Amino acid sequence: MVGASAAGLSTAEALRRKGFPGRITVLGDELHPPYDRPPLSKQVLSGTWEPERAALRTEEHLSGLDLDLRLGEHATGLDPASRTVRTRSGRDVRADAVVIATGVRPRRLPEQDGLAGVHVLRTLDDALALRKDLLSGGRLVVVGEGVLGSEIAATARTLGLDVTLAGPLAAPMALQVGPLISGLLKELHEERGVRLRLGSGVAGLEHAAGRVTGVRLATGEVLPAEVVVVAIGAIPTTDWLAGSGLELDNGVVCDARCRAAEGVWAVGDVARWQHEGLGRRVRLENRTNVTEQAIAVAGAILGDPAAYTPIPYFWTDQFDAKLQMYGVLPAAAEVQVVEGDPAARRFVAVYREAGRVTGVLGWNMPKQARLRRAEITLGEPA
Amino acid sequence: MKVAVEQDKCVAAGNCVSAAMDVFDQRDEDGIVVLLTDNPPDELAEEVRTAAAVCPALAIHIKD
């Protein structure tokens, strides 16, 4: 396993659960024992959890898995033919099967490196550094109105900070949930005091004496800030695979069984596989996919011929809104509230294209949303 | 097999119910996990293990 986060660890665990008795080596580039990422922008950032609570597994459970877990070990290359993983320490690993689980890294603004007060949020250390800056107060600008940026804005506002959310789209998560629901998210954020500067791209950062002082929008407006979080998406961590011969195109390109080459597999945020249900290549950056795909890859390694065709699912918590999203929620879909009432901030909506349900969204109605998941049909109409 | 759930870790995904509906349910009002039995029969053990594995919040704990 190249990667010791949820994807690598869950694959190892699934292999053991399925009775694989052989040796499993897990390489992780961070020094922390494996931890979970969804709490980083929520409970860890807000301080409601001690960082230790984000640990993926207890030490006892980890040792029960009988893994050769090598933390602080960077993979630097892969030879798919001999299935040899090269590492920075020189302790190369040769295996019968290699699982690529190196995840993604945050996209950054060109000028942010080395500038104090500017953060990204991907790792535990990122979350703790951001929390420290948030606790010293001041004005926060979040660059990026996607899921992560919207969550960070909500968490920071709940901590009492002066928060501005900036991004090119019209409303928070417009790309992920379409105009109707993102309009409701916009209302929620405004009501809770998040200043929205949406609909204009970010041109750059203002700084003085090595410290950020603001965010410059494409309109020329400058949003003053003591702290800035850049949450403008992520890039699959595949640079170490350059020259390996694997097809790299917005992730590690895989077949329907998540196989990138003979004996080489990819799992989690880094994997772009052929989803036979959707009829196209898909790369998902969400937590549920990680565990489901890990189980599928462990099965495939052990000879299970089934294609991996999940119904995508993710959730987000912002203020008191808990949103659950199933399937595909295109901006052009027809959205209908089928249960509850948006005015009461408790409802289920279904997304339809050409008359078929492609997705379901629950707003503070998780159980009711899940029960409608069965209505979803993936793929093109027959 | 003994099963325990951490309701304050639960994110209401409901994956456990899809995996083992005789052992887990969700509260109607907020979707948080409800344990129907903390001592499921052996024939459900595999389903319960799958439920614990697919929980995105790591809120299900099993003791054999």
Side-chain angles (χ1 to χ4, degrees):
Chain A
M1 310 293 157
V2 187
S5 194
L9 185 62
S10 302
T11 311
E13 216 166 32
L15 280 167
R16 289 296 188 228
R17 216 167 43 244
K18 290 171 193 284
F20 175 72
R23 183 159 159 204
I24 302 178
T25 306
V26 182
L27 310 178
D29 63 353
E30 291 181 66
L31 287 167
H32 296 286
Y35 61 87
D36 204 18
R37 296 189 199 279
L40 298 183
S41 53
K42 310 175 188 82
Q43 297 93 336
V44 173
L45 189 59
S46 70
T48 50
W49 285 13
E50 291 299 316
E52 293 74 32
R53 210 166 163 204
L56 272 171
R57 296 291 181 249
T58 62
E59 222 168 277
E60 184 193 357
H61 180 93
L62 274 180
S63 64
L65 289 173
D66 189 24
L67 307 175
D68 179 3
L69 180 59
R70 302 186 192 172
L71 299 177
E73 181 69 291
H74 295 250
T76 55
L78 169 69
D79 174 29
S82 65
R83 290 173 303 277
T84 304
V85 178
R86 288 186 296 279
T87 68
R88 191 175 291 171
S89 72
R91 292 174 66 206
D92 296 354
V93 186
R94 197 171 169 151
D96 298 313
V98 172
V99 178
I100 298 166
T102 41
V104 294
R105 57 175 58 125
R107 186 172 284 133
R108 309 167 82 91
L109 293 173
E111 52 201 316
Q112 80 179 79
D113 289 325
L115 212 52
V118 186
H119 297 263
V120 292
L121 179 43
R122 176 71 185 170
T123 67
L124 180 57
D125 291 342
D126 291 341
L128 296 177
L130 173 59
R131 174 165 167 78
K132 189 161 168 266
D133 264 11
L134 293 185
L135 290 179
S136 35
R139 293 162 295 185
L140 168 71
V141 175
V142 179
V143 178
E145 77 295 73
V147 181
L148 182 63
S150 304
E151 281 185 1
I152 293 169
T155 302
R157 184 67 200 122
T158 305
L159 287 172
L161 272 91
D162 178 310
V163 180
T164 305
L165 180 61
L169 299 181
M173 286 177 51
L175 191 65
Q176 289 79 23
V177 296
L180 181 77
I181 308 296
S182 65
L184 296 171
L185 278 168
K186 182 169 181 258
E187 278 175 23
L188 175 67
H189 277 258
E190 279 173 339
E191 200 176 280
R192 297 304 179 97
V194 174
R195 238 191 305 275
L196 300 176
R197 282 289 180 280
L198 299 174
S200 159
V202 166
L205 299 172
E206 300 280 310
H207 50 92
R211 212 184 153 85
V212 73
T213 56
V215 172
R216 191 170 10 79
L217 301 181
T219 56
E221 186 186 359
V222 172
L223 309 171
E226 283 72 44
V227 188
V228 172
V229 181
V230 177
I232 53 174
I235 303 162
T237 309
T238 55
D239 44 348
W240 67 284
L241 292 167
S244 66
L246 296 184
E247 187 182 351
L248 307 175
D249 178 13
N250 181 27
V252 177
V253 175
C254 301
D255 68 11
R257 285 151 197 86
C258 312
R259 203 182 58 158
E262 187 66 42
V264 180
W265 318 78
V267 63
D269 296 4
V270 78
R272 183 152 170 255
W273 87 102
Q274 180 67 27
H275 189 306
E276 285 189 347
L278 289 164
R280 57 183 162 87
R281 285 175 181 171
V282 174
R283 188 174 69 78
L284 298 177
E285 289 180 15
N286 63 53
R287 182 62 179 84
T288 340
N289 177 60
V290 168
T291 31
E292 289 178 9
Q293 196 170 22
I295 292 169
V297 165
I301 291 170
L302 299 176
D304 183 346
Y308 179 55
T309 57
I311 291 178
Y313 163 78
F314 72 101
W315 82 93
T316 180
D317 301 341
Q318 296 172 34
F319 301 108
D320 55 4
K322 287 184 182 298
L323 272 62
Q324 321 278 324
M325 276 71 49
Y326 293 94
V328 184
L329 315 177
E334 177 204 328
V335 182
Q336 185 192 4
V337 174
V338 290
E339 213 170 326
D341 179 6
R345 299 249 163 92
R346 202 171 131 73
F347 64 94
V348 179
V350 301
Y351 288 62
R352 281 196 186 86
E353 268 191 324
R356 292 173 320 124
V357 175
T358 63
V360 174
L361 178 144
W363 185 307
N364 285 337
M365 283 191 113
K367 180 177 181 177
Q368 294 78 1
R370 177 182 57 76
L371 288 171
R372 288 184 178 268
R373 177 180 177 270
E375 296 174 17
I376 296 172
T377 318
L378 294 179
E380 299 302 313
Chain B
M1 172 186 270
K2 294 289 271 183
V3 187
V5 294
E6 280 184 87
Q7 286 184 326
D8 64 334
K9 252 190 159 182
C10 176
V11 296
N15 290 4
C16 55
V17 191
S18 304
M21 62 184 300
D22 296 325
V23 180
F24 304 97
D25 196 0
Q26 286 176 279
R27 294 199 297 234
D28 288 339
E29 64 274 23
D30 59 8
I32 296 301
V33 61
V34 178
L35 192 57
L36 300 176
T37 165
D38 64 358
N39 192 6
D42 288 349
E43 63 267 25
L44 296 179
E46 203 42 51
E47 284 183 12
V48 174
R49 265 186 258 279
T50 302
V54 295
C55 172
L58 317 169
I60 300 170
H61 305 285
I62 296 172
K63 271 211 165 101
D64 288 298

